[in-house]
Structures are given as C-alpha cells and as structure tokens.
C-alpha cells in the first residue's frame, strides 16, 4: 500500500493532466494510440476501471514486458506487479473511499 501511494504521487505534476503533448511525449502517445486506438478510448477504459473498483482500490495504466499497454484495476492494496507478477505500472489513480471524501459540506 505504501508503494502504491508513493507511485501515485509520482504520477502527478503541477498543471498536469489532459491529452499528452505529442511533440514532447511522442513515444507514449504512439503506444496509447496503438494499444487503445486513441487517447479518448484510453481515458474511457481508465475511467471505467476506476469507477468499477468498488469501495477501495486502484486503476492502472500498465505495460507488459513487450511494451504493450493496457488498463487494469486492483482491489484493496494490490498492485499489478504483485497481482500479475508481469505488469509494469505507468500511471495510477487512487480510488480508495478516502480519496474522494468531501472536505466541506
């Protein structure tokens, strides 16, 4: 669980988010397009993984050892490295219930 949270914070940056800039992230964009058909399809699959991780868990963009990308989810404190032993995390979203509690009523 500690590794998941540490990796989660590494996935963020100030003013980040949105479609990757192809001029500075060409390899990633090419892999996303090859694996999902488009960035929009990737986002749809990633959101579905996050929205169906009931209660607590994680949505993941992962790579296999050949460099093929896919989306998966884990429940509880699992991560793709432990769950499959073969997947390499690229990006994650924390969907534990504490991650979306409202701070203000």
């Amino acid at each position: 669980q500690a590794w998941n949270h540490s990796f989660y914070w590494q996935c963020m940056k100030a003013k980040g988010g949105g479609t990757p800039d192809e001029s500075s992230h060409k390899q990633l964009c090419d892999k996303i397009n090859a694996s999902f058909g488009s960035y929009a399809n990737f986002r749809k699959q990633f959101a579905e993984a996050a929205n169906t991780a009931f209660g607590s868990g994680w949505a993941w963009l992962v790579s296999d050892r050949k460099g093929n990308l896919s989306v998966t989810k884990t429940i509880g404190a699992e991560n793709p490295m432990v769950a499959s032993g073969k997947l390499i995390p690229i990006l994650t979203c924390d969907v534990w219930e504490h991650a979306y509690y409202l701070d203000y009523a």
Side-chain angles (χ1 to χ4, degrees):
Q1 187 64 16
W3 187 93
N4 291 2
H5 276 100
S6 179
F7 182 74
Y8 171 68
W9 293 114
Q10 296 298 316
C11 292
M12 296 185 196
K13 73 174 192 169
K15 299 181 184 178
T19 306
D21 176 18
E22 290 201 33
S23 64
S24 58
H25 297 96
K26 182 167 178 22
Q27 185 178 12
L28 175 61
C29 291
D30 289 347
K31 286 197 176 278
I32 287 173
N33 290 333
S35 298
F36 302 101
S38 70
Y39 180 75
N41 287 339
F42 154 68
R43 292 244 345 215
K44 182 178 178 183
Q45 289 184 34
F46 195 77
E48 184 174 332
N51 288 327
T52 58
F54 179 74
S56 58
W58 302 84
W60 302 89
L61 172 64
V62 295
S63 173
D64 65 17
R65 302 223 185 262
K66 294 181 181 180
N68 301 307
L69 300 182
S70 62
V71 169
T72 191
K73 68 182 173 188
T74 57
I75 304 303
E78 290 273 342
N79 70 50
M81 296 179 302
V82 173
S84 75
K86 299 175 184 172
L87 298 174
I88 303 160
I90 305 296
L91 175 73
T92 194
C93 177
D94 181 353
V95 291
W96 280 66
E97 65 277 4
H98 67 258
Y100 50 84
Y101 283 154
L102 295 177
D103 289 349
Y104 305 98

